[in-house]
Amino acid sequence: MNIQEIVNRSIEENKFIYGVFTTPKNKPDNPYKKITARPINVKNKNIIQFEKFTDKQAFHENYSYEEANEEIINLIIDGYKNINLFTSEADYQIIVSKKGSVKVTEKQPSKKQSTEEHNKKKQYIINENETCDFLELLGVMNKQGMVYSKKYDKFKQINKFLEIVDDSLKGRELKDDFMIIDFGCGKAYLTFALYYYFYHLRKVKVKIIGLDLKEEVINYCNEISDKLNYDNLKFIYGDIQSFDYADNIDMIVTLHACDTATDASLVKAIKWNADIILSVPCCQHEFYDKIKNIELEPMLKHGLIKERVSALVTDSLRGLFLETKGYKVQLMEFIAMEHTPKNILIRAVKTGRENKNAEIEYNNFKKFWHLEDLFIENYYYKQ
Ligand SMILES: C[S@@+](CC[C@H](N)C(=O)[O-])C[C@H]1O[C@@H](n2cnc3c(N)ncnc32)[C@H](O)[C@@H]1O
Protein backbone atom coordinates (compact mmCIF):
# COMPACT_ATOMS: atom_id res chain seq x y z
CA MET A 1 0.00 0.00 0.00
CA ASN A 2 1.24 3.49 -0.73
CA ILE A 3 0.82 6.35 1.72
CA GLN A 4 -2.32 7.63 0.10
CA GLU A 5 -3.94 4.21 0.35
CA ILE A 6 -2.88 3.82 3.99
CA VAL A 7 -4.39 7.16 4.94
CA ASN A 8 -7.54 6.78 2.84
CA ARG A 9 -8.21 3.33 4.18
CA SER A 10 -7.67 4.11 7.83
CA ILE A 11 -9.91 7.19 7.68
CA GLU A 12 -12.55 5.71 5.35
CA GLU A 13 -12.84 2.51 7.42
CA ASN A 14 -12.66 4.31 10.76
CA LYS A 15 -9.39 2.61 11.76
CA PHE A 16 -7.38 5.76 12.42
CA ILE A 17 -6.38 6.14 16.09
CA TYR A 18 -3.63 8.72 16.34
CA GLY A 19 -1.07 10.55 14.20
CA VAL A 20 2.11 12.47 15.11
CA PHE A 21 4.01 14.68 12.68
CA THR A 22 7.44 15.95 13.73
CA THR A 23 10.57 17.47 12.12
CA PRO A 24 9.03 20.11 9.85
CA LYS A 25 10.56 20.37 6.40
CA ASN A 26 10.31 24.07 5.88
CA LYS A 27 11.18 25.48 9.28
CA PRO A 28 11.18 29.24 8.62
CA ASP A 29 7.73 29.12 6.95
CA ASN A 30 6.17 26.59 9.28
CA PRO A 31 5.51 27.75 12.85
CA TYR A 32 4.43 24.28 14.04
CA LYS A 33 7.21 22.04 15.28
CA LYS A 34 4.80 19.19 15.99
CA ILE A 35 1.25 18.25 15.01
CA THR A 36 -0.94 15.50 16.40
CA ALA A 37 -4.26 14.21 15.07
CA ARG A 38 -6.96 12.10 16.69
CA PRO A 39 -10.63 11.29 16.08
CA ILE A 40 -13.09 12.81 18.52
CA ASN A 41 -16.83 13.17 18.74
CA VAL A 42 -18.27 16.67 19.03
CA LYS A 43 -22.02 17.20 19.25
CA ASN A 44 -22.65 13.74 17.89
CA LYS A 45 -20.39 14.32 14.89
CA ASN A 46 -17.23 12.35 14.25
CA ILE A 47 -14.37 14.65 13.42
CA ILE A 48 -10.59 14.61 13.51
CA GLN A 49 -8.92 17.11 15.78
CA PHE A 50 -5.46 18.41 14.91
CA GLU A 51 -3.35 19.91 17.68
CA LYS A 52 -0.63 22.16 16.29
CA PHE A 53 2.28 23.09 18.58
CA THR A 54 4.45 26.19 18.22
CA ASP A 55 7.30 26.78 20.70
CA LYS A 56 4.92 28.32 23.20
CA GLN A 57 1.35 27.45 22.31
CA ALA A 58 -0.96 24.72 21.06
CA PHE A 59 -3.76 25.41 18.56
CA HIS A 60 -6.73 23.14 17.89
CA GLU A 61 -8.32 22.68 14.49
CA ASN A 62 -11.27 20.38 13.78
CA TYR A 63 -11.63 18.72 10.40
CA SER A 64 -14.29 16.53 8.84
CA TYR A 65 -13.01 13.04 7.93
CA GLU A 66 -12.87 14.14 4.31
CA GLU A 67 -10.77 17.22 5.08
CA ALA A 68 -8.59 15.33 7.54
CA ASN A 69 -7.78 12.77 4.88
CA GLU A 70 -6.48 15.52 2.60
CA GLU A 71 -4.68 17.35 5.44
CA ILE A 72 -2.83 14.22 6.60
CA ILE A 73 -1.65 13.47 3.06
CA ASN A 74 -0.54 17.11 2.62
CA LEU A 75 1.35 17.02 5.92
CA ILE A 76 3.17 13.89 4.80
CA ILE A 77 3.94 15.04 1.27
CA ASP A 78 4.68 18.66 2.02
CA GLY A 79 5.08 19.29 5.71
CA TYR A 80 6.97 16.85 7.92
CA LYS A 81 9.84 14.36 7.73
CA ASN A 82 8.93 12.06 10.56
CA ILE A 83 5.38 10.76 10.83
CA ASN A 84 3.82 8.05 12.96
CA LEU A 85 0.33 6.86 12.15
CA PHE A 86 -1.39 4.48 14.54
CA THR A 87 -4.33 2.53 13.18
CA SER A 88 -6.21 -0.48 14.50
CA GLU A 89 -4.61 -2.48 11.67
CA ALA A 90 -0.96 -1.45 12.00
CA ASP A 91 1.50 1.21 13.18
CA TYR A 92 3.19 3.04 10.32
CA GLN A 93 6.38 5.00 10.60
CA ILE A 94 6.97 7.26 7.62
CA ILE A 95 10.34 8.88 7.05
CA VAL A 96 10.72 11.47 4.31
CA SER A 97 14.32 12.07 3.21
CA LYS A 98 15.81 15.45 2.26
CA LYS A 99 15.41 14.53 -1.39
CA GLY A 100 11.76 13.67 -0.87
CA SER A 101 11.93 9.87 -0.99
CA VAL A 102 9.56 8.19 1.42
CA LYS A 103 10.21 5.11 3.53
CA VAL A 104 7.27 3.39 5.21
CA THR A 105 7.78 0.84 7.99
CA GLU A 106 4.79 -1.20 9.11
CA LYS A 107 4.54 -2.85 12.54
CA GLN A 108 1.91 -4.69 14.56
CA PRO A 109 -0.64 -2.25 16.01
CA SER A 110 0.43 -0.95 19.42
CA LYS A 111 -2.67 1.14 20.20
CA LYS A 112 -6.19 -0.12 20.65
CA GLN A 113 -9.32 1.71 19.65
CA SER A 114 -11.69 2.12 22.58
CA THR A 115 -14.78 -0.06 22.22
CA GLU A 116 -16.78 3.10 21.76
CA GLU A 117 -14.50 4.18 18.90
CA HIS A 118 -14.56 0.74 17.38
CA ASN A 119 -18.32 0.56 17.42
CA LYS A 120 -18.64 3.93 15.80
CA LYS A 121 -19.55 3.39 12.19
CA LYS A 122 -18.35 5.91 9.71
CA GLN A 123 -21.04 8.54 9.57
CA TYR A 124 -22.33 8.92 6.07
CA ILE A 125 -24.55 11.67 4.79
CA ILE A 126 -27.13 9.04 3.91
CA ASN A 127 -26.85 6.40 6.61
CA GLU A 128 -27.41 2.67 6.52
CA ASN A 129 -30.47 1.36 8.29
CA GLU A 130 -32.35 4.57 7.58
CA THR A 131 -34.95 4.52 4.86
CA CYS A 132 -34.21 6.46 1.70
CA ASP A 133 -36.76 6.56 -1.12
CA PHE A 134 -34.49 6.84 -4.17
CA LEU A 135 -31.93 4.30 -2.94
CA GLU A 136 -34.77 1.84 -2.40
CA LEU A 137 -36.24 2.44 -5.85
CA LEU A 138 -32.84 2.17 -7.54
CA GLY A 139 -32.18 -1.15 -5.77
CA VAL A 140 -29.31 0.01 -3.55
CA MET A 141 -31.06 -0.71 -0.24
CA ASN A 142 -34.22 -2.44 0.96
CA LYS A 143 -37.28 -0.88 2.62
CA GLN A 144 -35.63 -1.00 6.04
CA GLY A 145 -32.48 0.75 4.79
CA MET A 146 -30.24 -2.30 4.60
CA VAL A 147 -27.72 -1.80 1.80
CA TYR A 148 -27.42 -4.80 -0.55
CA SER A 149 -23.86 -6.12 -0.43
CA LYS A 150 -23.48 -5.92 -4.24
CA LYS A 151 -24.45 -2.25 -4.09
CA TYR A 152 -22.21 -1.26 -1.21
CA ASP A 153 -19.62 0.40 -3.48
CA LYS A 154 -22.35 2.42 -5.14
CA PHE A 155 -23.64 3.43 -1.70
CA LYS A 156 -20.16 4.57 -0.67
CA GLN A 157 -19.69 6.45 -3.95
CA ILE A 158 -22.98 8.30 -3.52
CA ASN A 159 -22.02 9.29 0.02
CA LYS A 160 -18.53 10.36 -1.00
CA PHE A 161 -20.04 12.54 -3.71
CA LEU A 162 -22.49 14.11 -1.24
CA GLU A 163 -19.65 14.75 1.23
CA ILE A 164 -17.83 16.67 -1.50
CA VAL A 165 -21.01 18.59 -2.38
CA ASP A 166 -21.63 19.35 1.31
CA ASP A 167 -18.07 20.55 1.76
CA SER A 168 -18.27 22.69 -1.40
CA LEU A 169 -21.35 24.49 -0.07
CA LYS A 170 -19.94 25.27 3.37
CA GLY A 171 -20.71 28.81 4.46
CA ARG A 172 -23.05 29.47 1.53
CA GLU A 173 -26.58 30.60 1.96
CA LEU A 174 -28.71 28.51 -0.35
CA LYS A 175 -31.85 29.92 -1.90
CA ASP A 176 -34.80 27.88 -3.08
CA ASP A 177 -34.16 28.50 -6.76
CA PHE A 178 -30.58 27.15 -6.61
CA MET A 179 -30.16 25.65 -10.08
CA ILE A 180 -28.03 22.63 -10.93
CA ILE A 181 -27.36 20.90 -14.24
CA ASP A 182 -25.86 17.41 -14.38
CA PHE A 183 -24.25 16.89 -17.79
CA GLY A 184 -23.98 13.27 -18.92
CA CYS A 185 -26.16 12.09 -16.02
CA GLY A 186 -26.49 8.49 -17.27
CA LYS A 187 -28.72 6.44 -14.98
CA ALA A 188 -28.51 9.35 -12.56
CA TYR A 189 -27.83 7.71 -9.18
CA LEU A 190 -25.82 10.80 -8.30
CA THR A 191 -28.43 13.20 -9.68
CA PHE A 192 -31.14 11.62 -7.54
CA ALA A 193 -28.72 11.74 -4.61
CA LEU A 194 -28.20 15.46 -5.16
CA TYR A 195 -31.95 16.08 -5.17
CA TYR A 196 -32.41 14.02 -2.01
CA TYR A 197 -29.55 15.84 -0.29
CA PHE A 198 -31.00 19.29 -0.99
CA TYR A 199 -34.67 18.49 -0.29
CA HIS A 200 -34.40 16.12 2.62
CA LEU A 201 -31.21 17.11 4.34
CA ARG A 202 -30.72 20.81 3.52
CA LYS A 203 -34.43 21.62 3.10
CA VAL A 204 -33.72 23.70 0.02
CA LYS A 205 -36.02 23.46 -2.99
CA VAL A 206 -33.41 23.35 -5.74
CA LYS A 207 -34.10 22.73 -9.40
CA ILE A 208 -32.07 20.08 -11.16
CA ILE A 209 -31.79 19.09 -14.81
CA GLY A 210 -30.01 15.92 -15.87
CA LEU A 211 -28.93 15.80 -19.52
CA ASP A 212 -27.82 12.79 -21.51
CA LEU A 213 -27.40 11.60 -25.08
CA LYS A 214 -29.25 8.35 -24.47
CA GLU A 215 -32.98 8.72 -25.00
CA GLU A 216 -34.01 5.47 -23.31
CA VAL A 217 -31.95 6.32 -20.23
CA ILE A 218 -33.60 9.74 -20.05
CA ASN A 219 -37.07 8.17 -20.28
CA TYR A 220 -36.15 5.73 -17.52
CA CYS A 221 -34.86 8.54 -15.28
CA ASN A 222 -38.01 10.63 -15.80
CA GLU A 223 -40.13 7.62 -14.83
CA ILE A 224 -38.16 7.16 -11.63
CA SER A 225 -38.35 10.87 -10.89
CA ASP A 226 -42.16 10.78 -11.33
CA LYS A 227 -42.47 7.75 -9.06
CA LEU A 228 -40.49 9.54 -6.38
CA ASN A 229 -42.47 12.77 -6.82
CA TYR A 230 -39.22 14.63 -7.30
CA ASP A 231 -41.10 17.47 -8.99
CA ASN A 232 -38.16 19.76 -9.63
CA LEU A 233 -35.89 17.12 -11.11
CA LYS A 234 -36.20 16.80 -14.88
CA PHE A 235 -34.22 14.78 -17.35
CA ILE A 236 -33.67 16.00 -20.88
CA TYR A 237 -32.44 14.12 -23.90
CA GLY A 238 -29.74 16.04 -25.75
CA ASP A 239 -26.10 16.82 -26.42
CA ILE A 240 -24.14 19.03 -24.03
CA GLN A 241 -22.76 21.09 -26.90
CA SER A 242 -26.15 22.08 -28.29
CA PHE A 243 -27.89 22.45 -24.94
CA ASP A 244 -28.85 25.97 -23.95
CA TYR A 245 -30.37 27.35 -20.80
CA ALA A 246 -31.43 30.94 -20.41
CA ASP A 247 -31.82 31.30 -16.63
CA ASN A 248 -29.27 31.53 -13.85
CA ILE A 249 -27.24 28.38 -13.15
CA ASP A 250 -25.45 27.96 -9.83
CA MET A 251 -23.78 24.60 -10.10
CA ILE A 252 -22.66 22.29 -12.89
CA VAL A 253 -21.97 18.65 -12.24
CA THR A 254 -20.42 16.40 -14.84
CA LEU A 255 -19.40 12.96 -13.70
CA HIS A 256 -17.58 10.55 -15.97
CA ALA A 257 -18.75 12.34 -19.13
CA CYS A 258 -16.67 10.90 -21.91
CA ASP A 259 -13.59 12.61 -23.37
CA THR A 260 -14.27 16.15 -24.63
CA ALA A 261 -17.86 16.08 -23.29
CA THR A 262 -16.17 17.12 -20.02
CA ASP A 263 -14.54 20.11 -21.77
CA ALA A 264 -17.85 21.12 -23.33
CA SER A 265 -19.45 20.99 -19.85
CA LEU A 266 -16.68 23.09 -18.32
CA VAL A 267 -16.95 25.68 -21.08
CA LYS A 268 -20.74 25.91 -20.64
CA ALA A 269 -20.26 26.28 -16.87
CA ILE A 270 -17.74 29.10 -17.33
CA LYS A 271 -19.88 30.91 -19.91
CA TRP A 272 -22.93 30.59 -17.67
CA ASN A 273 -20.95 31.92 -14.70
CA ALA A 274 -21.72 28.86 -12.58
CA ASP A 275 -20.47 29.35 -9.01
CA ILE A 276 -19.51 25.73 -8.42
CA ILE A 277 -18.29 23.07 -10.85
CA LEU A 278 -17.79 19.44 -9.87
CA SER A 279 -16.33 17.32 -12.64
CA VAL A 280 -14.94 13.80 -12.74
CA PRO A 281 -13.37 13.40 -16.17
CA CYS A 282 -13.00 10.08 -17.91
CA CYS A 283 -11.78 8.59 -21.23
CA GLN A 284 -9.36 11.49 -21.92
CA HIS A 285 -8.44 10.59 -25.51
CA GLU A 286 -7.84 13.99 -27.05
CA PHE A 287 -4.30 14.64 -25.80
CA TYR A 288 -2.91 11.19 -26.57
CA ASP A 289 -1.91 12.22 -30.09
CA LYS A 290 -1.10 15.79 -29.12
CA ILE A 291 1.36 15.71 -26.23
CA LYS A 292 5.03 15.80 -27.20
CA ASN A 293 8.16 16.34 -25.17
CA ILE A 294 11.49 15.04 -26.41
CA GLU A 295 13.01 14.82 -22.93
CA LEU A 296 10.08 12.73 -21.71
CA GLU A 297 10.21 10.41 -24.71
CA PRO A 298 11.56 7.54 -22.53
CA MET A 299 8.17 7.63 -20.82
CA LEU A 300 5.96 8.61 -23.74
CA LYS A 301 7.29 5.90 -26.05
CA HIS A 302 5.32 3.39 -23.96
CA GLY A 303 1.66 3.53 -25.00
CA LEU A 304 0.37 2.63 -21.55
CA ILE A 305 2.40 5.34 -19.80
CA LYS A 306 1.54 7.87 -22.50
CA GLU A 307 -2.15 7.15 -22.01
CA ARG A 308 -1.92 7.77 -18.26
CA VAL A 309 0.30 10.84 -18.63
CA SER A 310 -1.99 12.34 -21.27
CA ALA A 311 -5.00 11.89 -18.97
CA LEU A 312 -3.17 13.69 -16.14
CA VAL A 313 -1.97 16.43 -18.49
CA THR A 314 -5.55 16.87 -19.76
CA ASP A 315 -6.97 17.31 -16.27
CA SER A 316 -4.13 19.59 -15.16
CA LEU A 317 -4.73 21.78 -18.19
CA ARG A 318 -8.48 21.81 -17.53
CA GLY A 319 -7.74 22.96 -13.98
CA LEU A 320 -5.47 25.72 -15.27
CA PHE A 321 -8.03 26.75 -17.88
CA LEU A 322 -10.63 27.18 -15.14
CA GLU A 323 -8.12 29.20 -13.09
CA THR A 324 -7.57 31.55 -16.02
CA LYS A 325 -11.32 32.15 -16.04
CA GLY A 326 -11.45 33.19 -12.37
CA TYR A 327 -12.05 29.88 -10.59
CA LYS A 328 -10.26 28.48 -7.54
CA VAL A 329 -9.48 24.90 -8.47
CA GLN A 330 -8.75 21.78 -6.46
CA LEU A 331 -8.12 18.30 -7.83
CA MET A 332 -9.25 15.78 -5.29
CA GLU A 333 -9.82 12.07 -4.95
CA PHE A 334 -13.18 10.53 -5.79
CA ILE A 335 -14.26 6.90 -5.73
CA ALA A 336 -13.69 5.20 -9.08
CA MET A 337 -16.69 3.66 -10.84
CA GLU A 338 -16.79 -0.03 -11.65
CA HIS A 339 -16.20 0.52 -15.36
CA THR A 340 -13.57 3.25 -15.05
CA PRO A 341 -10.57 3.53 -12.73
CA LYS A 342 -10.65 7.31 -13.09
CA ASN A 343 -10.92 8.92 -9.70
CA ILE A 344 -9.89 12.56 -9.96
CA LEU A 345 -12.53 15.13 -9.22
CA ILE A 346 -12.03 18.71 -10.37
CA ARG A 347 -13.68 21.15 -7.99
CA ALA A 348 -13.85 24.73 -9.21
CA VAL A 349 -15.37 27.59 -7.26
CA LYS A 350 -15.86 30.98 -8.87
CA THR A 351 -13.86 33.80 -7.31
CA GLY A 352 -14.46 36.30 -10.09
CA ARG A 353 -10.87 37.51 -9.68
CA GLU A 354 -8.54 37.81 -12.64
CA ASN A 355 -5.56 35.48 -12.31
CA LYS A 356 -2.64 36.66 -14.43
CA ASN A 357 -0.38 34.04 -12.95
CA ALA A 358 -2.69 31.29 -14.19
CA GLU A 359 -2.48 32.66 -17.75
CA ILE A 360 1.32 32.45 -17.60
CA GLU A 361 1.26 28.97 -16.09
CA TYR A 362 -1.32 27.85 -18.65
CA ASN A 363 0.74 29.07 -21.60
CA ASN A 364 3.99 27.63 -20.24
CA PHE A 365 2.30 24.30 -19.60
CA LYS A 366 0.99 24.17 -23.17
CA LYS A 367 4.43 25.02 -24.52
CA PHE A 368 6.08 22.32 -22.40
CA TRP A 369 3.78 19.66 -23.86
CA HIS A 370 3.67 21.20 -27.38
CA LEU A 371 -0.10 21.39 -27.16
CA GLU A 372 -2.02 23.10 -29.92
CA ASP A 373 -5.50 23.16 -31.43
CA LEU A 374 -7.26 22.13 -28.24
CA PHE A 375 -10.97 21.34 -28.05
CA ILE A 376 -11.51 23.34 -24.86
CA GLU A 377 -10.05 26.53 -26.42
CA ASN A 378 -11.72 26.07 -29.78
CA TYR A 379 -15.04 25.49 -28.12
CA TYR A 380 -14.66 28.37 -25.68
CA TYR A 381 -13.45 31.00 -28.12
CA LYS A 382 -15.39 30.00 -31.21
CA GLN A 383 -18.71 29.22 -29.65
C1 LIG B 1 -20.02 6.86 -17.86
S1 LIG B 1 -21.59 7.58 -17.94
C2 LIG B 1 -21.66 8.43 -16.41
C3 LIG B 1 -23.03 8.53 -15.83
C4 LIG B 1 -23.16 9.32 -14.52
N1 LIG B 1 -22.81 10.70 -14.67
C5 LIG B 1 -22.36 8.69 -13.41
O1 LIG B 1 -21.26 9.19 -13.10
O2 LIG B 1 -22.80 7.70 -12.85
C6 LIG B 1 -21.34 8.88 -19.11
C7 LIG B 1 -22.62 9.44 -19.66
O3 LIG B 1 -22.31 10.63 -20.40
C8 LIG B 1 -23.19 10.68 -21.52
N2 LIG B 1 -22.61 11.58 -22.53
C9 LIG B 1 -21.42 11.46 -23.15
N3 LIG B 1 -21.24 12.47 -24.02
C10 LIG B 1 -22.34 13.28 -23.94
C11 LIG B 1 -22.74 14.47 -24.57
N4 LIG B 1 -21.97 15.06 -25.48
N5 LIG B 1 -23.93 15.01 -24.24
C12 LIG B 1 -24.73 14.41 -23.30
N6 LIG B 1 -24.38 13.27 -22.65
C13 LIG B 1 -23.20 12.69 -22.96
C14 LIG B 1 -23.27 9.23 -21.96
O4 LIG B 1 -24.43 8.98 -22.75
C15 LIG B 1 -23.28 8.48 -20.64
O5 LIG B 1 -24.59 8.20 -20.20
Side-chain angles (χ1 to χ4, degrees), residues 178-182 190-199 205-211 225 230-236 245 251 253:
F178 195 83
M179 177 68 205
I180 305 169
I181 296 187
D182 182 354
L190 298 167
T191 333
F192 286 111
L194 261 183
Y195 194 88
Y196 182 88
Y197 165 82
F198 280 104
Y199 273 75
K205 294 188 178 81
V206 294
K207 285 188 197 148
I208 305 184
I209 291 178
L211 184 90
S225 183
Y230 283 9
D231 295 338
N232 281 327
L233 171 58
K234 302 279 175 241
F235 293 92
I236 299 178
Y245 191 80
M251 182 166 162
V253 173

Side-chain angles (χ1 to χ4, degrees), residues 259-286:
D259 199 15
T260 51
T262 294
D263 300 290
S265 309
L266 298 181
V267 168
K268 291 270 173 183
I270 297 168
K271 295 238 168 182
W272 288 337
N273 264 318
D275 274 341
I276 301 170
I277 305 170
L278 299 178
S279 168
V280 179
C282 102
C283 328
Q284 300 93 328
H285 299 309
E286 188 200 355

Side-chain angles (χ1 to χ4, degrees), residues 1 12 17 72 120 305 315 318 323 331 342 363:
M1 270 199 291
E12 182 73 25
I17 299 175
I72 292 173
K120 246 186 242 157
I305 303 265
D315 293 338
R318 285 169 172 160
E323 284 181 15
L331 266 61
K342 302 291 164 56
N363 288 328

Side-chain angles (χ1 to χ4, degrees), residues 306-356:
K306 188 173 180 190
E307 198 186 301
R308 291 186 189 178
V309 171
S310 62
L312 293 173
V313 173
T314 310
D315 293 338
S316 308
L317 186 114
R318 285 169 172 160
L320 279 172
F321 189 81
L322 286 159
E323 284 181 15
T324 65
K325 305 295 172 223
Y327 283 84
K328 179 173 179 262
V329 175
Q330 278 173 295
L331 266 61
M332 53 211 294
E333 194 167 49
F334 188 51
I335 294 179
M337 290 215 329
E338 53 283 7
H339 60 272
T340 160
K342 302 291 164 56
N343 68 343
I344 289 180
L345 181 141
I346 301 174
R347 172 162 72 181
V349 178
K350 189 150 187 80
T351 66
R353 287 191 291 277
E354 199 186 354
N355 186 344
K356 289 241 162 74

Side-chain angles (χ1 to χ4, degrees), residues 161-224:
F161 174 63
L162 293 183
E163 275 172 26
I164 294 174
V165 171
D166 193 51
D167 189 60
S168 309
L169 296 170
K170 243 185 215 160
R172 252 171 222 270
E173 213 183 296
L174 298 174
K175 288 195 233 106
D176 270 349
D177 57 354
F178 195 83
M179 177 68 205
I180 305 169
I181 296 187
D182 182 354
F183 280 136
C185 61
K187 284 197 183 152
Y189 286 81
L190 298 167
T191 333
F192 286 111
L194 261 183
Y195 194 88
Y196 182 88
Y197 165 82
F198 280 104
Y199 273 75
H200 292 264
L201 307 174
R202 296 291 302 257
K203 314 283 181 215
V204 182
K205 294 188 178 81
V206 294
K207 285 188 197 148
I208 305 184
I209 291 178
L211 184 90
D212 203 282
L213 272 181
K214 294 182 191 143
E215 197 172 7
E216 70 284 3
V217 172
I218 287 299
N219 293 339
Y220 163 82
C221 291
N222 276 324
E223 274 171 34
I224 300 276

